[in-house]
Amino acid sequence: MKVLVTGGLGQLGREISKLTASSEHTYIYTDVRADGDVVRLDITDSAAVGALVQDVDVIVNCAAYTDVNKAESDADAAYKVNALAPAVLAEAAKAAGAMLIHVSTDYVFDGESNVPYTEDAPKNPLGVYGRTKLAGENAIIASGCRHLIFRTSWLYSNSGKNFFLTMAELTASKPEVKVVEDQVGTPTYAYDLAYLITYIIEENLLDRNGVYNYSGEGVCSWYDFATEICSQLGHICCVIPCRTEDYPSPVKRPHYSVLDKTKVKADFGLEIPYWRQSLAMAVKEYFSLNK
Ligand SMILES: NC(=O)c1ccc[n+]([C@@H]2O[C@H](COP(=O)([O-])OP(=O)(O)OC[C@H]3O[C@@H](n4cnc5c(N)ncnc54)[C@H](OP(=O)(O)O)[C@@H]3O)[C@@H](O)[C@H]2O)c1
């Protein structure tokens, strides 16, 4: 099989790349800029997408405009990458008879619930990022292409810009750090989601179709997550809980974004690691990278 991965330099793309290094299938990694084995492909360029997708069996779209704050003042760019480009990928996938595996977000929900969101719970994104990601999902579904959409939350890894690495740096360098405790959700180690996606491809479970939630197991606040990061790294820092309003932000964020994973576990026969266990794996990797 030939598999095209977009966003190959991002957190998720890099984890998929590591996991497929010895696969018997052909994986082509692309991103908006070329780097090493990663080929340049701007997913908003429909001609370039059409040319590359022609003979692929699976497209994994890890590319996105992920800066939630910046998206508020850069809505056109976010819309192009998160909404228009998935539509382009979907049309190309349909023409090639390929499966499109796409990644979306808990930010399609407004966070007003107090029970985990099922896949078909009402959507009501609070900002530009969530609205553009929801438009991307809808375009893929409307295209009629074969698709799997995985909504995830609080993604982190040992590369790129994410909460885990930010807290690792802050708790190492500051005596105290304030973190919001009134936003609750579940961290997702990018490796775990990459594992699911590569498992589906490698085991040829490509007869499934639809939208699935995927995050770590369990529930915590950003404060709990930061406290655990600090503790597992052995840093001496006082993590202090604060409220969302203490951190002025251009965008409203959901207070509750826990995803119900019943469907993904049933359809893929999956056990999802508890978020603290996944964090322990990330911390182990962090130490090996920062010896
Ligand atoms: N990060 C989270 O907390 C989170 C939470 C929920 C869902 N998600 C979703 O999970 C998926 C993976 O996220 P991630 O954290 O791995 O993202 P990421 O680290 O930001 O990686 C995204 C990659 O896409 C690239 N990209 C941007 N515009 C592009 C374009 N026009 N053409 C091709 N590539 C382009 C980015 O390049 P540049 O860096 O140069 O822009 C980056 O390398 C995304 O769909 C995201 O929406 C993420």
Side-chain angles (χ1 to χ4, degrees):
M1 269 195 304
K2 197 166 167 185
V3 183
L4 179 81
V5 181
T6 69
L9 296 172
Q11 298 192 76
L12 184 60
R14 284 180 193 273
E15 295 302 318
I16 294 176
S17 173
K18 283 190 249 169
L19 281 166
T20 56
S22 56
S23 169
E24 64 183 29
H25 301 300
T26 304
Y27 286 78
I28 303 160
Y29 287 89
T30 67
D31 204 290
V32 71
R33 62 200 151 85
D35 185 6
D37 291 340
V38 176
V39 178
R40 184 177 188 279
L41 174 66
D42 180 343
I43 58 165
T44 65
D45 179 344
S46 54
V49 168
L52 261 183
V53 165
Q54 267 177 38
D55 61 342
V56 305
D57 302 290
V58 183
I59 303 168
V60 184
N61 183 28
C62 304
Y65 188 113
T66 54
D67 190 327
V68 176
N69 286 345
K70 199 173 154 206
E72 291 299 306
S73 56
D74 196 18
D76 286 352
Y79 187 73
K80 264 191 192 163
V81 182
N82 292 345
L84 294 182
V88 166
L89 289 169
E91 287 307 327
K94 195 174 168 188
M99 159 67 89
L100 174 58
I101 300 180
H102 177 74
V103 184
S104 191
T105 172
D106 54 329
Y107 276 36
V108 299
F109 300 115
D110 61 16
E112 294 297 320
S113 178
N114 56 11
V115 291
Y117 285 98
T118 57
E119 284 77 0
D120 51 8
K123 321 296 174 297
N124 184 28
L126 299 176
V128 169
Y129 171 72
R131 279 199 290 279
T132 58
K133 291 294 288 183
L134 180 58
E137 288 186 8
N138 288 338
I140 291 169
I141 295 164
S143 77
C145 76
R146 292 163 56 215
H147 65 268
L148 285 168
I149 298 174
F150 292 105
R151 278 193 204 122
T152 192
S153 62
W154 299 19
L155 205 62
Y156 70 95
S157 72
N158 274 291
S159 70
K161 222 177 125 192
N162 62 67
F163 186 83
F164 167 65
L165 289 179
T166 302
M167 283 302 136
E169 194 189 320
L170 289 178
T171 57
S173 57
K174 303 227 181 276
E176 61 175 51
V177 49
K178 283 188 182 166
V179 184
V180 293
E181 68 165 354
D182 56 354
Q183 289 173 32
V184 169
T186 318
T188 306
Y189 187 27
Y191 168 90
D192 292 334
L193 178 55
Y195 183 88
L196 169 63
I197 291 171
T198 52
Y199 173 74
I200 288 168
I201 298 169
E202 296 292 315
E203 297 296 319
N204 204 354
L205 305 176
L206 298 163
D207 54 341
R208 276 68 160 180
N209 205 68
V211 180
Y212 289 88
N213 292 335
Y214 185 89
S215 69
E217 203 70 278
V219 178
C220 67
S221 69
W222 288 112
Y223 163 75
D224 295 311
F225 189 25
T227 301
E228 189 67 14
I229 292 166
C230 181
S231 156
Q232 289 201 18
L233 287 170
H235 291 170
I236 308 294
C237 174
C238 186
V239 183
I240 300 168
C242 70
R243 308 293 296 263
T244 298
E245 55 264 32
D246 297 333
Y247 270 107
S249 158
V251 61
K252 215 173 149 198
R253 287 164 189 270
H255 280 287
Y256 182 92
S257 55
V258 181
L259 299 171
D260 183 314
K261 276 97 52 188
T262 309
K263 187 179 166 195
V264 76
K265 287 188 277 191
D267 284 11
F268 294 100
L270 194 72
E271 268 188 46
I272 299 180
Y274 179 48
W275 69 269
R276 278 192 168 90
Q277 285 166 352
S278 293
L279 178 62
M281 279 184 62
V283 164
K284 198 170 162 200
E285 187 187 39
Y286 178 88
F287 284 135
S288 75
L289 293 170
N290 294 283
K291 267 193 264 196

mmCIF file of all heavy atoms in Angstrom, residues 6-13 30-33 41-44 61-66 81-82 102-106 129 133 152-156 193, ligand 1:
data_model
loop_
_atom_site.group_PDB
_atom_site.id
_atom_site.type_symbol
_atom_site.label_atom_id
_atom_site.label_comp_id
_atom_site.label_asym_id
_atom_site.label_seq_id
_atom_site.Cartn_x
_atom_site.Cartn_y
_atom_site.Cartn_z
ATOM 1 N N THR A 6 0.355 13.903 5.566
ATOM 2 C CA THR A 6 0.576 15.352 5.553
ATOM 3 C C THR A 6 0.898 15.820 6.974
ATOM 4 O O THR A 6 0.597 15.123 7.937
ATOM 5 C CB THR A 6 -0.669 16.098 5.044
ATOM 6 O OG1 THR A 6 -1.694 15.956 6.038
ATOM 7 C CG2 THR A 6 -1.159 15.552 3.711
ATOM 8 N N GLY A 7 1.517 16.979 7.089
ATOM 9 C CA GLY A 7 1.887 17.462 8.425
ATOM 10 C C GLY A 7 2.948 16.582 9.054
ATOM 11 O O GLY A 7 2.981 16.392 10.275
ATOM 12 N N GLY A 8 3.836 16.055 8.211
ATOM 13 C CA GLY A 8 4.847 15.094 8.673
ATOM 14 C C GLY A 8 5.852 15.668 9.660
ATOM 15 O O GLY A 8 6.538 14.911 10.353
ATOM 16 N N LEU A 9 5.939 17.002 9.739
ATOM 17 C CA LEU A 9 6.877 17.618 10.691
ATOM 18 C C LEU A 9 6.198 18.016 11.997
ATOM 19 O O LEU A 9 6.833 18.546 12.906
ATOM 20 C CB LEU A 9 7.549 18.849 10.062
ATOM 21 C CG LEU A 9 8.435 18.560 8.843
ATOM 22 C CD1 LEU A 9 8.889 19.860 8.182
ATOM 23 C CD2 LEU A 9 9.655 17.726 9.265
ATOM 24 N N GLY A 10 4.889 17.772 12.080
ATOM 25 C CA GLY A 10 4.158 18.121 13.303
ATOM 26 C C GLY A 10 4.273 17.015 14.346
ATOM 27 O O GLY A 10 4.905 15.981 14.101
ATOM 28 N N GLN A 11 3.668 17.243 15.498
ATOM 29 C CA GLN A 11 3.749 16.275 16.602
ATOM 30 C C GLN A 11 3.277 14.889 16.183
ATOM 31 O O GLN A 11 3.965 13.891 16.367
ATOM 32 C CB GLN A 11 2.839 16.702 17.752
ATOM 33 C CG GLN A 11 3.139 18.000 18.424
ATOM 34 C CD GLN A 11 2.330 18.090 19.710
ATOM 35 O OE1 GLN A 11 2.678 17.438 20.701
ATOM 36 N NE2 GLN A 11 1.265 18.868 19.714
ATOM 37 N N LEU A 12 2.064 14.847 15.630
ATOM 38 C CA LEU A 12 1.477 13.544 15.286
ATOM 39 C C LEU A 12 2.197 12.918 14.101
ATOM 40 O O LEU A 12 2.490 11.713 14.106
ATOM 41 C CB LEU A 12 -0.016 13.744 14.973
ATOM 42 C CG LEU A 12 -0.806 12.478 14.693
ATOM 43 C CD1 LEU A 12 -0.786 11.524 15.882
ATOM 44 C CD2 LEU A 12 -2.257 12.824 14.319
ATOM 45 N N GLY A 13 2.499 13.733 13.102
ATOM 46 C CA GLY A 13 3.188 13.232 11.910
ATOM 47 C C GLY A 13 4.516 12.581 12.271
ATOM 48 O O GLY A 13 4.871 11.509 11.753
ATOM 49 N N THR A 30 4.968 14.390 4.073
ATOM 50 C CA THR A 30 4.950 15.718 3.454
ATOM 51 C C THR A 30 4.643 16.774 4.518
ATOM 52 O O THR A 30 4.087 16.469 5.578
ATOM 53 C CB THR A 30 3.854 15.802 2.366
ATOM 54 O OG1 THR A 30 2.560 15.722 3.002
ATOM 55 C CG2 THR A 30 3.974 14.695 1.339
ATOM 56 N N ASP A 31 5.005 18.003 4.216
ATOM 57 C CA ASP A 31 4.633 19.139 5.085
ATOM 58 C C ASP A 31 4.726 20.406 4.241
ATOM 59 O O ASP A 31 5.187 20.356 3.096
ATOM 60 C CB ASP A 31 5.551 19.217 6.319
ATOM 61 C CG ASP A 31 4.873 19.942 7.488
ATOM 62 O OD1 ASP A 31 4.678 21.169 7.414
ATOM 63 O OD2 ASP A 31 4.514 19.280 8.478
ATOM 64 N N VAL A 32 4.323 21.524 4.823
ATOM 65 C CA VAL A 32 4.314 22.772 4.069
ATOM 66 C C VAL A 32 5.739 23.205 3.699
ATOM 67 O O VAL A 32 5.936 23.976 2.760
ATOM 68 C CB VAL A 32 3.534 23.861 4.843
ATOM 69 C CG1 VAL A 32 4.297 24.338 6.069
ATOM 70 C CG2 VAL A 32 3.115 25.004 3.955
ATOM 71 N N ARG A 33 6.722 22.703 4.441
ATOM 72 C CA ARG A 33 8.122 22.916 4.027
ATOM 73 C C ARG A 33 8.827 21.557 4.001
ATOM 74 O O ARG A 33 8.484 20.663 4.798
ATOM 75 C CB ARG A 33 8.836 23.895 4.966
ATOM 76 C CG ARG A 33 8.937 23.416 6.372
ATOM 77 C CD ARG A 33 9.178 24.553 7.372
ATOM 78 N NE ARG A 33 8.609 24.203 8.653
ATOM 79 C CZ ARG A 33 9.211 23.478 9.587
ATOM 80 N NH1 ARG A 33 10.441 23.050 9.407
ATOM 81 N NH2 ARG A 33 8.614 23.166 10.722
ATOM 82 N N LEU A 41 4.593 19.670 0.543
ATOM 83 C CA LEU A 41 3.226 19.665 -0.001
ATOM 84 C C LEU A 41 2.378 20.612 0.837
ATOM 85 O O LEU A 41 2.127 20.369 2.015
ATOM 86 C CB LEU A 41 2.599 18.254 0.039
ATOM 87 C CG LEU A 41 1.116 18.219 -0.391
ATOM 88 C CD1 LEU A 41 0.953 18.576 -1.875
ATOM 89 C CD2 LEU A 41 0.482 16.853 -0.115
ATOM 90 N N ASP A 42 1.937 21.697 0.190
ATOM 91 C CA ASP A 42 1.005 22.614 0.844
ATOM 92 C C ASP A 42 -0.393 22.082 0.563
ATOM 93 O O ASP A 42 -0.821 22.029 -0.595
ATOM 94 C CB ASP A 42 1.205 24.025 0.244
ATOM 95 C CG ASP A 42 0.268 25.044 0.870
ATOM 96 O OD1 ASP A 42 -0.728 24.635 1.496
ATOM 97 O OD2 ASP A 42 0.534 26.244 0.709
ATOM 98 N N ILE A 43 -1.088 21.658 1.610
ATOM 99 C CA ILE A 43 -2.381 20.987 1.373
ATOM 100 C C ILE A 43 -3.461 21.945 0.866
ATOM 101 O O ILE A 43 -4.536 21.506 0.487
ATOM 102 C CB ILE A 43 -2.887 20.204 2.617
ATOM 103 C CG1 ILE A 43 -3.051 21.122 3.837
ATOM 104 C CG2 ILE A 43 -1.985 19.023 2.915
ATOM 105 C CD1 ILE A 43 -3.874 20.477 4.960
ATOM 106 N N THR A 44 -3.168 23.248 0.876
ATOM 107 C CA THR A 44 -4.150 24.187 0.309
ATOM 108 C C THR A 44 -3.972 24.317 -1.217
ATOM 109 O O THR A 44 -4.766 24.972 -1.876
ATOM 110 C CB THR A 44 -4.033 25.593 0.954
ATOM 111 O OG1 THR A 44 -2.758 26.152 0.617
ATOM 112 C CG2 THR A 44 -4.166 25.531 2.457
ATOM 113 N N ASN A 61 -4.173 12.813 7.187
ATOM 114 C CA ASN A 61 -4.014 14.270 7.261
ATOM 115 C C ASN A 61 -3.704 14.723 8.683
ATOM 116 O O ASN A 61 -4.603 14.878 9.515
ATOM 117 C CB ASN A 61 -5.269 14.982 6.751
ATOM 118 C CG ASN A 61 -5.077 16.494 6.759
ATOM 119 O OD1 ASN A 61 -3.941 16.980 6.636
ATOM 120 N ND2 ASN A 61 -6.154 17.234 6.914
ATOM 121 N N CYS A 62 -2.416 14.936 8.952
ATOM 122 C CA CYS A 62 -1.978 15.457 10.263
ATOM 123 C C CYS A 62 -1.698 16.952 10.160
ATOM 124 O O CYS A 62 -1.305 17.574 11.158
ATOM 125 C CB CYS A 62 -0.698 14.772 10.731
ATOM 126 S SG CYS A 62 -0.797 13.000 10.823
ATOM 127 N N ALA A 63 -1.836 17.536 8.974
ATOM 128 C CA ALA A 63 -1.545 18.966 8.807
ATOM 129 C C ALA A 63 -2.740 19.781 9.291
ATOM 130 O O ALA A 63 -3.888 19.400 9.075
ATOM 131 C CB ALA A 63 -1.268 19.270 7.337
ATOM 132 N N ALA A 64 -2.452 20.887 9.942
ATOM 133 C CA ALA A 64 -3.530 21.758 10.411
ATOM 134 C C ALA A 64 -2.957 23.103 10.821
ATOM 135 O O ALA A 64 -1.746 23.246 11.026
ATOM 136 C CB ALA A 64 -4.243 21.117 11.606
ATOM 137 N N TYR A 65 -3.842 24.059 10.920
ATOM 138 C CA TYR A 65 -3.512 25.353 11.540
ATOM 139 C C TYR A 65 -3.893 25.171 13.003
ATOM 140 O O TYR A 65 -5.068 25.118 13.344
ATOM 141 C CB TYR A 65 -4.336 26.455 10.871
ATOM 142 C CG TYR A 65 -3.955 27.858 11.281
ATOM 143 C CD1 TYR A 65 -3.373 28.731 10.363
ATOM 144 C CD2 TYR A 65 -4.187 28.324 12.581
ATOM 145 C CE1 TYR A 65 -3.023 30.026 10.729
ATOM 146 C CE2 TYR A 65 -3.834 29.608 12.950
ATOM 147 C CZ TYR A 65 -3.266 30.458 12.023
ATOM 148 O OH TYR A 65 -2.922 31.745 12.388
ATOM 149 N N THR A 66 -2.892 25.031 13.886
ATOM 150 C CA THR A 66 -3.187 24.616 15.265
ATOM 151 C C THR A 66 -3.016 25.716 16.315
ATOM 152 O O THR A 66 -3.186 25.448 17.506
ATOM 153 C CB THR A 66 -2.301 23.410 15.657
ATOM 154 O OG1 THR A 66 -0.933 23.747 15.418
ATOM 155 C CG2 THR A 66 -2.660 22.173 14.883
ATOM 156 N N VAL A 81 -6.536 26.168 5.720
ATOM 157 C CA VAL A 81 -5.847 24.922 6.087
ATOM 158 C C VAL A 81 -6.801 23.915 6.749
ATOM 159 O O VAL A 81 -6.738 22.715 6.461
ATOM 160 C CB VAL A 81 -4.653 25.212 7.035
ATOM 161 C CG1 VAL A 81 -3.908 23.931 7.388
ATOM 162 C CG2 VAL A 81 -3.698 26.219 6.412
ATOM 163 N N ASN A 82 -7.680 24.404 7.610
ATOM 164 C CA ASN A 82 -8.509 23.490 8.417
ATOM 165 C C ASN A 82 -9.832 23.114 7.775
ATOM 166 O O ASN A 82 -10.439 22.102 8.143
ATOM 167 C CB ASN A 82 -8.795 24.111 9.789
ATOM 168 C CG ASN A 82 -7.553 24.210 10.644
ATOM 169 O OD1 ASN A 82 -6.539 23.573 10.341
ATOM 170 N ND2 ASN A 82 -7.611 25.006 11.699
ATOM 171 N N HIS A 102 -8.363 11.489 8.930
ATOM 172 C CA HIS A 102 -8.243 12.914 9.251
ATOM 173 C C HIS A 102 -8.299 13.089 10.771
ATOM 174 O O HIS A 102 -8.908 12.275 11.470
ATOM 175 C CB HIS A 102 -9.413 13.650 8.580
ATOM 176 C CG HIS A 102 -9.475 15.111 8.880
ATOM 177 N ND1 HIS A 102 -8.607 16.026 8.328
ATOM 178 C CD2 HIS A 102 -10.310 15.836 9.683
ATOM 179 C CE1 HIS A 102 -8.904 17.241 8.756
ATOM 180 N NE2 HIS A 102 -9.931 17.149 9.590
ATOM 181 N N VAL A 103 -7.675 14.161 11.260
ATOM 182 C CA VAL A 103 -7.653 14.386 12.709
ATOM 183 C C VAL A 103 -8.373 15.694 13.031
ATOM 184 O O VAL A 103 -8.127 16.720 12.400
ATOM 185 C CB VAL A 103 -6.207 14.418 13.238
ATOM 186 C CG1 VAL A 103 -6.206 14.550 14.753
ATOM 187 C CG2 VAL A 103 -5.463 13.154 12.818
ATOM 188 N N SER A 104 -9.281 15.620 13.992
ATOM 189 C CA SER A 104 -10.012 16.817 14.393
ATOM 190 C C SER A 104 -9.891 17.018 15.919
ATOM 191 O O SER A 104 -8.990 16.457 16.540
ATOM 192 C CB SER A 104 -11.467 16.730 13.923
ATOM 193 O OG SER A 104 -12.095 17.987 14.083
ATOM 194 N N THR A 105 -10.785 17.782 16.478
ATOM 195 C CA THR A 105 -10.531 18.301 17.823
ATOM 196 C C THR A 105 -11.762 18.321 18.730
ATOM 197 O O THR A 105 -12.900 18.440 18.249
ATOM 198 C CB THR A 105 -9.987 19.743 17.685
ATOM 199 O OG1 THR A 105 -9.894 20.339 18.974
ATOM 200 C CG2 THR A 105 -10.895 20.619 16.835
ATOM 201 N N ASP A 106 -11.502 18.279 20.022
ATOM 202 C CA ASP A 106 -12.546 18.474 21.039
ATOM 203 C C ASP A 106 -13.122 19.898 20.972
ATOM 204 O O ASP A 106 -14.192 20.151 21.512
ATOM 205 C CB ASP A 106 -11.964 18.215 22.437
ATOM 206 C CG ASP A 106 -10.722 19.051 22.722
ATOM 207 O OD1 ASP A 106 -9.980 19.364 21.774
ATOM 208 O OD2 ASP A 106 -10.483 19.405 23.895
ATOM 209 N N TYR A 129 -10.709 28.510 15.487
ATOM 210 C CA TYR A 129 -10.057 27.198 15.304
ATOM 211 C C TYR A 129 -11.106 26.076 15.278
ATOM 212 O O TYR A 129 -11.134 25.264 14.343
ATOM 213 C CB TYR A 129 -9.040 26.971 16.427
ATOM 214 C CG TYR A 129 -8.464 25.574 16.464
ATOM 215 C CD1 TYR A 129 -7.553 25.141 15.505
ATOM 216 C CD2 TYR A 129 -8.834 24.671 17.464
ATOM 217 C CE1 TYR A 129 -7.034 23.851 15.535
ATOM 218 C CE2 TYR A 129 -8.315 23.391 17.509
ATOM 219 C CZ TYR A 129 -7.419 22.981 16.545
ATOM 220 O OH TYR A 129 -6.915 21.695 16.588
ATOM 221 N N LYS A 133 -12.180 23.720 12.085
ATOM 222 C CA LYS A 133 -11.978 22.267 12.150
ATOM 223 C C LYS A 133 -13.305 21.545 11.913
ATOM 224 O O LYS A 133 -13.349 20.517 11.242
ATOM 225 C CB LYS A 133 -11.384 21.859 13.507
ATOM 226 C CG LYS A 133 -9.945 22.314 13.746
ATOM 227 C CD LYS A 133 -8.924 21.657 12.832
ATOM 228 C CE LYS A 133 -8.684 20.210 13.168
ATOM 229 N NZ LYS A 133 -7.611 19.621 12.295
ATOM 230 N N THR A 152 -9.444 14.447 18.689
ATOM 231 C CA THR A 152 -8.583 14.241 19.845
ATOM 232 C C THR A 152 -8.491 15.517 20.676
ATOM 233 O O THR A 152 -9.064 16.554 20.309
ATOM 234 C CB THR A 152 -7.193 13.732 19.397
ATOM 235 O OG1 THR A 152 -6.477 13.276 20.534
ATOM 236 C CG2 THR A 152 -6.388 14.820 18.701
ATOM 237 N N SER A 153 -7.787 15.453 21.808
ATOM 238 C CA SER A 153 -7.706 16.612 22.701
ATOM 239 C C SER A 153 -6.340 16.685 23.362
ATOM 240 O O SER A 153 -5.672 15.664 23.562
ATOM 241 C CB SER A 153 -8.770 16.493 23.803
ATOM 242 O OG SER A 153 -8.539 15.344 24.593
ATOM 243 N N TRP A 154 -5.893 17.890 23.674
ATOM 244 C CA TRP A 154 -4.711 18.146 24.512
ATOM 245 C C TRP A 154 -3.508 17.289 24.064
ATOM 246 O O TRP A 154 -2.869 16.601 24.863
ATOM 247 C CB TRP A 154 -5.018 17.877 25.974
ATOM 248 C CG TRP A 154 -6.104 18.694 26.597
ATOM 249 C CD1 TRP A 154 -7.090 19.388 25.982
ATOM 250 C CD2 TRP A 154 -6.317 18.889 28.013
ATOM 251 N NE1 TRP A 154 -7.904 20.002 26.904
ATOM 252 C CE2 TRP A 154 -7.447 19.705 28.155
ATOM 253 C CE3 TRP A 154 -5.658 18.435 29.157
ATOM 254 C CZ2 TRP A 154 -7.938 20.090 29.404
ATOM 255 C CZ3 TRP A 154 -6.152 18.810 30.405
ATOM 256 C CH2 TRP A 154 -7.279 19.635 30.515
ATOM 257 N N LEU A 155 -3.218 17.344 22.782
ATOM 258 C CA LEU A 155 -2.157 16.519 22.210
ATOM 259 C C LEU A 155 -0.777 17.015 22.663
ATOM 260 O O LEU A 155 -0.519 18.219 22.660
ATOM 261 C CB LEU A 155 -2.262 16.622 20.684
ATOM 262 C CG LEU A 155 -1.714 15.493 19.825
ATOM 263 C CD1 LEU A 155 -2.443 14.184 20.098
ATOM 264 C CD2 LEU A 155 -1.860 15.855 18.339
ATOM 265 N N TYR A 156 0.098 16.097 23.027
ATOM 266 C CA TYR A 156 1.448 16.499 23.423
ATOM 267 C C TYR A 156 2.438 15.412 23.019
ATOM 268 O O TYR A 156 2.073 14.251 22.786
ATOM 269 C CB TYR A 156 1.535 16.755 24.939
ATOM 270 C CG TYR A 156 1.420 15.502 25.776
ATOM 271 C CD1 TYR A 156 2.545 14.816 26.231
ATOM 272 C CD2 TYR A 156 0.163 14.982 26.096
ATOM 273 C CE1 TYR A 156 2.441 13.654 26.985
ATOM 274 C CE2 TYR A 156 0.047 13.811 26.849
ATOM 275 C CZ TYR A 156 1.187 13.169 27.281
ATOM 276 O OH TYR A 156 1.071 12.008 28.010
ATOM 277 N N LEU A 193 -2.087 8.115 19.790
ATOM 278 C CA LEU A 193 -2.959 8.306 18.629
ATOM 279 C C LEU A 193 -2.253 7.816 17.358
ATOM 280 O O LEU A 193 -2.877 7.190 16.494
ATOM 281 C CB LEU A 193 -3.344 9.796 18.497
ATOM 282 C CG LEU A 193 -4.207 10.161 17.293
ATOM 283 C CD1 LEU A 193 -5.487 9.329 17.224
ATOM 284 C CD2 LEU A 193 -4.577 11.655 17.339
HETATM 285 N N1 LIG B 1 -2.144 20.118 19.410
HETATM 286 C C1 LIG B 1 -3.277 19.854 20.077
HETATM 287 O O1 LIG B 1 -3.390 20.064 21.289
HETATM 288 C C2 LIG B 1 -4.455 19.279 19.343
HETATM 289 C C3 LIG B 1 -5.644 19.072 20.056
HETATM 290 C C4 LIG B 1 -6.721 18.531 19.382
HETATM 291 C C5 LIG B 1 -6.628 18.213 18.033
HETATM 292 N N2 LIG B 1 -5.475 18.463 17.368
HETATM 293 C C6 LIG B 1 -5.417 18.124 15.940
HETATM 294 O O2 LIG B 1 -4.474 17.077 15.787
HETATM 295 C C7 LIG B 1 -3.843 17.167 14.519
HETATM 296 C C8 LIG B 1 -2.341 17.094 14.677
HETATM 297 O O3 LIG B 1 -1.949 18.182 15.515
HETATM 298 P P1 LIG B 1 -0.423 18.469 15.873
HETATM 299 O O4 LIG B 1 -0.397 18.974 17.267
HETATM 300 O O5 LIG B 1 0.420 17.305 15.470
HETATM 301 O O6 LIG B 1 -0.153 19.698 14.898
HETATM 302 P P2 LIG B 1 1.222 20.456 14.638
HETATM 303 O O7 LIG B 1 2.293 19.919 15.512
HETATM 304 O O8 LIG B 1 0.903 21.905 14.659
HETATM 305 O O9 LIG B 1 1.561 20.000 13.146
HETATM 306 C C9 LIG B 1 0.822 20.443 12.054
HETATM 307 C C10 LIG B 1 1.757 20.476 10.880
HETATM 308 O O10 LIG B 1 1.005 20.905 9.733
HETATM 309 C C11 LIG B 1 1.819 21.842 9.029
HETATM 310 N N3 LIG B 1 1.006 22.685 8.163
HETATM 311 C C12 LIG B 1 0.412 23.867 8.445
HETATM 312 N N4 LIG B 1 -0.164 24.368 7.335
HETATM 313 C C13 LIG B 1 0.069 23.478 6.342
HETATM 314 C C14 LIG B 1 -0.256 23.441 4.962
HETATM 315 N N5 LIG B 1 -0.943 24.434 4.370
HETATM 316 N N6 LIG B 1 0.152 22.377 4.223
HETATM 317 C C15 LIG B 1 0.853 21.375 4.794
HETATM 318 N N7 LIG B 1 1.212 21.366 6.090
HETATM 319 C C16 LIG B 1 0.820 22.397 6.852
HETATM 320 C C17 LIG B 1 2.481 22.622 10.150
HETATM 321 O O11 LIG B 1 3.549 23.387 9.658
HETATM 322 P P3 LIG B 1 3.932 24.763 10.450
HETATM 323 O O12 LIG B 1 4.269 24.352 11.851
HETATM 324 O O13 LIG B 1 5.095 25.280 9.654
HETATM 325 O O14 LIG B 1 2.709 25.626 10.383
HETATM 326 C C18 LIG B 1 2.904 21.487 11.065
HETATM 327 O O15 LIG B 1 4.139 20.911 10.658
HETATM 328 C C19 LIG B 1 -4.364 18.465 13.882
HETATM 329 O O16 LIG B 1 -5.417 18.153 13.018
HETATM 330 C C20 LIG B 1 -4.900 19.246 15.064
HETATM 331 O O17 LIG B 1 -5.937 20.125 14.685
HETATM 332 C C21 LIG B 1 -4.372 18.972 17.994
#
